[in-house]
Amino acid sequence: MKKEIIIFIGLFLFLAIGMHFKQWIDHPIEHLMNMTHGGAFGIPGAVHPFVFTFLVYIIVRFPALIKKLFSKKKLPN
């Protein structure tokens, strides 16, 4: 569980900095304060980073889930 939270937070920071690099460099405090007024694709401002991060998280972790489901488990002796 701890590993998954670290992956989610890492994705969140990577996406936030990657998509809004200029705003984070020029005026980070103002960017955070205006977060509630933004938004994307009809998703309210403060929620949209978490929604997009969750979607990317699902895409990134899906192959690992498939691998785990189809991997052969060792039977105890």
Side-chain angles (χ1 to χ4, degrees):
M1 183 71 168
K2 185 177 180 181
K3 178 184 169 187
E4 301 300 321
I5 292 172
I6 291 171
I7 292 171
F8 186 83
I9 291 171
L11 274 173
F12 179 81
L13 293 174
F14 177 77
L15 292 172
I17 292 170
M19 295 304 294
H20 303 285
F21 185 75
K22 185 173 178 5
Q23 290 86 351
W24 284 110
I25 297 298
D26 291 345
H27 46 280
I29 303 299
E30 187 177 327
H31 182 66
L32 285 173
M33 295 300 182
N34 289 332
M35 188 99 126
T36 59
H37 303 295
F41 302 110
I43 301 170
V47 177
H48 89 271
F50 299 107
V51 172
F52 290 129
T53 303
F54 184 70
L55 292 174
V56 172
Y57 175 79
I58 290 173
I59 292 168
V60 168
R61 296 303 293 167
F62 187 71
L65 175 65
I66 296 299
K67 181 181 175 185
K68 187 175 182 180
L69 288 174
F70 289 109
S71 68
K72 292 183 181 180
K73 295 183 180 181
K74 293 182 180 180
L75 297 175
N77 292 337

